[in-house]
Amino acid sequence: MIPLRGFLAGFDHFVLVYFLVLSGLYLLLTVLASIDVLRAARSAGVDGQDDLFAHPLTPGISVIVPARNEALSILACARGVLSLRYPELELIIVDDGSTDDTFALVEAAYSLVEVRRFVAGDVPVVGTVRSVHVARTGTPVLVVRKDHGGTRADALNAGLNVATKTIVCFLDADSVLDERALLSAVKPFVDDPEGVVGVGGVVRVANGCAFEAGRLVSPEMPSSWIERIQIVEYLRSFLLGRTAWSKLGGLMIISGAFGLFRLETVIDVGGFDVDSIAEDFELVARLHHRLRAGHGKYRIVCIPEPAAWTEVPATLGSLASQRKRWARGLAETLFKYRRMTGNPRHGVVGIVALPYYLAFECLGAFVELTGSLALSLGLALGVVDVQLALLVAAVAFSYAMLLSVAALALEEFSFHRYPRTADLAKTLGAVLLENVGFRQLHAWWRVQGTIAAIRGNTHAWESPERTGSSADSARSGTPVS
């Protein structure tokens, strides 16, 4: 019993130190993000977007949308992309072996006709490409039909092999972009044409919002607490986390829901890993690895606004599946690039970003759950002082609340997307609920995902459950060209 008591006391002290280090890092990230977000909010409207739109050298963009059984949202996505304010773009939809009406809807909306077109083999594709279709009307829509390749990365690579523009934008089929999203996202490429290779945008929750013909009409709060909690998570992750890592030069994730890259650079590193279920994280990690090894100067950045609006899981079951997949993909990618972790040759990525993701994002769930168990046993055995335990728990809870409130305050003072007072109150309620029950459940899902990665369980890409949140009335009417 004495060794157990000693172990529990020691482990409780480890958890306390772990929490203090994590809190300090979060505080640093929050300060860095706040500086950039507020600066971006002040410069909105005077950032030269009109000049970019009119300039003949503004690079063209190929928007690649992987679609597997996306009948609910594919037309809203297509119409939204084609109505964006941007001088030169093409929309590439990759129908990855859909068994629903995904292709039929696009075919009817844009009068598609099959064409003989050479499909390059610049990056590997597992699923056989069966046909290529273009709009008979001349609308810049191209549809690639292929066999299901097993992963989202395979569909993205098929899109890369037919893309013709300088910049590629990867977009989820359920995502809707703000009207000027591409103009904002392409600006870093124009400002630093030799250095910037990737730009990530902020992703916001579409659930509950009103959309019309692929355009956001009114941002609104969803009805369920599961969806509201995800709004808090996304604000904290994008406005605080990724914006701060971008400023530090250690951005590791550009969301698959909305991200831009130089086509040539992505082709040079071999495209997406067709075996990865975290293709967005894996691609950015590989870019850091290859470009840093080449001793070239490069930048991968995140812009805080405008945004992509995407549908998030509306049920506990679909949310659990998503978070287990994310955790598994994180663990697999960290293992693949383990030699970069702690390696000073890789700069901020090697000595700060990857160790952070390993210690706090990957292993953090294990520490959180085992720490709760050890604390409970310690209290039962009298090893841990009750008042001290309550104090630590209160501080941890308050700090977690503070981070979320900081993200909400940053959103409110900068972009003010949710104008209703009732929406703000609901979001604050979600902050409270996230830390009472949901946080512990989420940690358990992350543990399960990491264990699945260790075991090497198989996983195939399937479109998540959709409710058509971003589609609304967009399936009626005529296409926007």
Side-chain angles (χ1 to χ4, degrees):
M1 185 64 68
I2 294 177
L4 177 60
R5 288 174 177 267
F7 171 78
L8 290 175
F11 189 77
D12 286 339
H13 282 91
F14 163 76
V15 172
L16 177 61
V17 173
Y18 181 93
F19 165 74
L20 291 174
V21 172
L22 179 60
S23 300
L25 286 172
Y26 278 157
L27 180 61
L28 173 63
L29 295 176
T30 300
V31 172
L32 291 174
S34 299
I35 295 171
D36 262 21
V37 170
L38 292 173
R39 180 186 295 123
R42 286 195 299 268
S43 64
V46 292
D47 53 3
Q49 288 188 10
D50 290 334
D51 294 337
L52 277 176
F53 183 81
H55 201 287
L57 296 182
T58 297
I61 295 179
S62 297
V63 180
I64 300 175
V65 179
R68 176 163 173 80
N69 298 329
E70 297 284 4
L72 274 177
S73 58
I74 192 62
L75 286 187
C77 178
R79 289 168 178 157
V81 169
L82 294 172
S83 63
L84 288 172
R85 179 173 168 78
Y86 200 81
E88 181 186 352
L89 62 80
E90 65 177 355
L91 171 62
I92 301 171
I93 298 173
V94 182
D95 181 7
D96 192 65
S98 295
T99 56
D100 65 358
D101 293 334
T102 297
F103 176 75
L105 288 169
V106 180
E107 181 182 34
Y110 296 100
S111 302
L112 296 183
V113 57
E114 184 175 348
V115 296
R116 288 174 175 260
R117 175 160 175 169
F118 172 73
V119 178
D122 295 328
V123 292
V125 175
V126 176
T128 302
V129 173
R130 296 298 179 183
S131 58
V132 178
H133 306 255
V134 298
R136 194 188 304 271
T137 59
T139 304
V141 175
L142 185 146
V143 178
V144 178
R145 301 195 77 186
K146 63 182 288 292
D147 295 339
H148 183 40
T151 61
R152 183 176 181 273
D154 194 56
L156 290 168
N157 277 357
L160 286 171
N161 281 336
V162 298
T164 63
K165 306 302 182 183
T166 304
I167 306 296
V168 286
C169 170
F170 303 114
L171 190 69
D172 276 353
D174 66 332
S175 294
V176 173
L177 297 179
D178 286 343
E179 183 182 5
R180 291 173 172 258
L182 291 185
L183 283 173
S184 292
V186 84
K187 193 173 186 299
F189 291 105
V190 175
D191 292 342
D192 186 7
E194 299 298 324
V196 174
V197 298
V199 175
V202 167
V203 178
R204 293 175 179 267
V205 174
N207 303 45
C209 298
F211 293 87
E212 192 70 44
R215 276 287 164 270
L216 175 70
V217 176
S218 174
E220 295 181 18
M221 197 63 54
S223 57
S224 78
W225 288 106
I226 293 175
E227 295 163 303
R228 293 174 185 173
I229 288 173
Q230 290 174 82
I231 288 178
V232 176
E233 288 184 308
Y234 274 56
L235 286 175
R236 192 172 57 237
S237 174
F238 285 94
L239 283 186
L240 296 185
R242 297 188 191 179
T243 303
W245 282 116
S246 173
K247 189 172 181 64
L248 285 172
L251 182 64
M252 294 302 303
I253 300 178
I254 290 181
S255 174
F258 177 43
L260 284 77
F261 296 87
R262 290 197 180 276
L263 174 60
E264 181 181 16
T265 305
V266 176
I267 296 294
D268 285 345
V269 301
F272 289 93
D273 180 356
V274 296
D275 295 321
S276 175
I277 63 170
E279 71 288 334
D280 45 5
F281 184 30
E282 196 282 333
L283 176 62
V284 175
R286 184 149 33 96
L287 285 169
H288 281 300
H289 181 263
R290 295 279 290 275
L291 297 177
R292 184 80 183 186
H295 304 289
K297 293 184 178 180
Y298 71 95
R299 292 171 58 217
I300 300 174
V301 301
C302 178
I303 57 171
E305 194 77 357
W309 299 79
T310 193
E311 183 179 340
V312 299
T315 65
L316 209 58
S318 58
L319 181 59
S321 297
Q322 180 197 66
R323 298 312 168 86
K324 291 175 190 177
R325 185 175 70 252
W326 286 1
R328 176 181 172 176
L330 172 65
E332 290 177 346
T333 304
L334 288 173
F335 181 77
K336 181 176 180 178
Y337 295 98
R338 60 193 180 278
R339 292 180 181 175
M340 290 174 61
T341 305
N343 190 336
R345 289 178 55 194
H346 294 281
V348 173
V349 170
I351 62 178
V352 181
L354 285 175
Y356 166 86
Y357 274 94
L358 175 62
F360 300 113
E361 296 293 338
C362 184
L363 301 180
F366 290 89
V367 175
E368 186 171 343
L369 290 181
T370 53
S372 298
L373 178 61
L375 180 62
S376 300
L377 286 174
L379 288 171
L381 295 174
V383 176
V384 178
D385 181 79
V386 176
Q387 290 185 338
L388 178 62
L390 291 175
L391 177 62
V392 171
V395 171
F397 178 80
S398 300
Y399 193 81
M401 291 279 292
L402 178 63
L403 286 175
S404 296
V405 170
L408 293 179
L410 197 56
E411 149 67 20
E412 189 69 16
F413 287 116
S414 55
F415 306 114
H416 193 53
R417 287 286 193 165
Y418 299 98
R420 300 175 183 84
T421 304
D423 287 343
L424 180 60
K426 291 173 184 176
T427 311
L428 289 172
V431 170
L432 179 63
L433 288 176
E434 182 191 13
N435 289 283
V436 181
F438 179 82
R439 183 185 181 91
Q440 293 72 32
L441 185 59
H442 188 201
W444 172 235
W445 293 336
R446 290 160 58 199
V447 166
Q448 289 179 293
T450 304
I451 292 174
I454 295 171
R455 291 178 174 174
N457 297 346
T458 58
H459 180 90
W461 174 50
E462 293 292 340
S463 177
E465 297 177 23
R466 302 289 195 208
T467 62
S469 296
S470 61
D472 275 350
S473 58
R475 292 183 65 177
S476 61
T478 56
V480 178
S481 59

